[in-house]
Amino acid sequence: MTPDRAPTSRRGPLLLILFAALMAGAGNGISIVAFPWLVLQRNGSALEASIVAMAGTLPLLVATLIAGAAVDFLGRRRVSMISDALSALSVAAVPVLALAFGASAVNVAVLAGLAALGAFFDPAGMTARETMLPEAANRAGWTLDHANSVFEAVFNLAYIVGPGIGGLLIATLGGVNTMWVTAAAFVLSIFAIGVLRLEGAGTPDPAALSGGVWSGIIEGLRFVWRNRVLRTLAFIDLAATGLYMPMESVLFPKYFTDRNEPAQLGWVLMALSVGGLVGALGFAVLSTYLRRRTVMLTAVVTLGVAMTVIAFLPPLPVILVLCAVVGFVYGPIAPIYNYVMQTRAPHHLRGRVVGVMGSLAYAAGPLGLILAGPLADATGLHVTFLALSLPMLALGVAAVFLPALYELDREP
């Protein structure tokens, strides 16, 4: 092998994982815009939009737990490919049903069911790709902080491409036909992982596993609960997700649907992702200088302040700036979470620990969506935004006094 090709060969697995994450994330990014739009264009009901959004998040609690165990028991590469194949089928079903039975067949119940199916399959693919990062980073000669930062930057890039393309495609092709692009993105992710060859990504050694899937899930839960920093991060993420998710999944779609501005909705979601992309890449460069605890506290407080200002529904440019700021400060959070999970969990438990942490983060999402939809219909967007932003501010203040967060800056 020639010297100029050797580095590329070492980085090959990492690049394939990053490309797969980009494609699968773009597919999910399109869905974030397309599913609520398909509901809201029927009758403009924020309640029905929240039902579909909840259907896309409720399965995540159980699915992410199972996904972590599936990754540890079946193998990371295999689970990633199966997950993306099933996700592609769930979104392709929307235009297939419309072609076979007419647009009226794609009603709220059907959309909720397909959103639930897609949500059930997605966590396995995300967990599988994330758990392959340490080995891929080691082969490429990257630090784990660097690899996690770039991985999350790619994920944010996917949510720049996805919602932006989604909004434009809805405006030109319609919401139903937009789902073809979503399915194609998942197929590209399958191809990338299909050619991946990486140690630890294949079928696990049965000798390293004990019991069945359910006992494995319990083992992962027990490990997270006994680790103080993982337990604390799980509860912070649970609260922040429950307060933030309705803003992105229901309130912004409701606001821009009422104004008949699908492209503007895409711009707002793109601003969040652009900020996240810059923040994640910035953390890759500055991770040796920044304290992880400081970054965490800054992100939670800034999100609360920004959501409070957005509650007054300022002009679009102001909303875009605030969303970019939120994305920027939150960009490093996922790399920090990944680092803690990857360095605290043993190899054979890595998938289950990632699954447990993800499922706990999703646990509060459905509750927030259940409350946000009816509240928006009854009292308006301004009150609903405030009902979410003020507790977020309180969460930021409370986090300052949590001693477990000091462990973020201690090597395991």
Side-chain angles (χ1 to χ4, degrees), residues 96-131:
V96 169
L97 287 173
L99 287 173
F101 303 104
S104 60
V106 188
N107 53 38
V108 173
V110 170
L111 291 171
L114 293 175
L117 286 174
F120 194 83
F121 302 137
D122 286 339
M126 291 187 290
T127 301
R129 288 183 288 271
E130 186 176 316
T131 54

Side-chain angles (χ1 to χ4, degrees), residues 13-28:
L14 182 59
L15 295 177
L16 287 171
I17 293 171
L18 294 175
F19 179 77
L22 176 65
M23 291 297 100
N28 287 323

Side-chain angles (χ1 to χ4, degrees), residues 186-245:
F186 285 117
V187 170
L188 290 173
S189 177
I190 295 170
F191 287 154
I193 298 299
V195 299
L196 173 69
R197 297 296 181 269
L198 181 69
E199 60 275 12
T203 303
D205 180 5
L209 305 174
S210 59
V213 172
W214 293 111
S215 62
I217 292 174
I218 296 300
E219 187 179 3
L221 284 167
R222 187 181 295 116
F223 183 88
V224 170
W225 180 256
R226 291 175 175 174
N227 187 288
R228 186 172 69 159
V229 65
L230 286 174
R231 184 175 67 243
T232 301
L233 289 178
F235 282 112
I236 291 176
D237 208 17
L238 185 150
T241 300
L243 294 171
Y244 170 77
M245 188 178 294

Side-chain angles (χ1 to χ4, degrees), residues 81-379:
M81 296 174 67
I82 293 174
S83 170
D84 286 338
L86 296 175
S87 294
L89 291 175
S90 70
V91 294
V94 174
V96 169
L97 287 173
L99 287 173
F101 303 104
S104 60
V106 188
N107 53 38
V108 173
V110 170
L111 291 171
L114 293 175
L117 286 174
F120 194 83
F121 302 137
D122 286 339
M126 291 187 290
T127 301
R129 288 183 288 271
E130 186 176 316
T131 54
M132 288 188 283
L133 278 179
E135 288 77 17
N138 183 62
R139 180 184 290 192
W142 289 20
T143 66
L144 197 50
D145 270 331
H146 187 188
N148 280 318
S149 296
V150 175
F151 181 82
E152 294 301 330
V154 166
F155 186 77
N156 280 284
L157 179 61
Y159 277 82
I160 296 171
V161 175
I165 291 179
L168 294 174
L169 289 178
I170 290 171
T172 55
L173 302 179
V176 172
N177 288 328
T178 295
M179 290 302 190
W180 288 120
V181 180
T182 311
F186 285 117
V187 170
L188 290 173
S189 177
I190 295 170
F191 287 154
I193 298 299
V195 299
L196 173 69
R197 297 296 181 269
L198 181 69
E199 60 275 12
T203 303
D205 180 5
L209 305 174
S210 59
V213 172
W214 293 111
S215 62
I217 292 174
I218 296 300
E219 187 179 3
L221 284 167
R222 187 181 295 116
F223 183 88
V224 170
W225 180 256
R226 291 175 175 174
N227 187 288
R228 186 172 69 159
V229 65
L230 286 174
R231 184 175 67 243
T232 301
L233 289 178
F235 282 112
I236 291 176
D237 208 17
L238 185 150
T241 300
L243 294 171
Y244 170 77
M245 188 178 294
M247 181 181 78
E248 184 174 313
S249 300
V250 175
L251 301 188
F252 277 144
K254 169 66 174 172
Y255 177 65
F256 289 106
T257 301
D258 289 345
R259 297 164 64 93
N260 193 30
E261 296 174 341
Q264 282 79 347
L265 173 60
W267 295 347
V268 167
L269 298 178
M270 284 175 63
L272 286 165
S273 295
V274 168
L277 172 65
V278 175
L281 287 177
F283 184 71
V285 176
L286 300 175
S287 57
T288 56
Y289 306 103
L290 297 176
R291 289 185 175 273
R292 298 185 183 96
R293 177 177 176 271
T294 302
V295 173
M296 174 72 67
L297 296 177
T298 301
V300 178
V301 173
T302 302
L303 181 55
V305 173
M307 287 175 62
T308 302
V309 178
I310 291 173
F312 294 93
L313 301 176
L316 179 62
V318 177
I319 294 177
L320 291 175
V321 170
L322 291 171
C323 288
V325 171
V326 167
F328 177 76
V329 297
Y330 243 80
I333 296 303
I336 291 174
Y337 271 63
N338 292 348
Y339 172 84
V340 175
M341 291 185 289
Q342 292 160 354
T343 56
R344 265 63 176 186
H347 179 84
H348 71 283
L349 273 177
R350 192 185 300 161
R352 278 163 283 178
V353 169
V354 173
V356 167
M357 293 290 286
S359 65
L360 290 176
Y362 289 127
L367 178 60
L369 293 168
I370 289 173
L371 297 175
L375 186 62
D377 284 336
T379 64

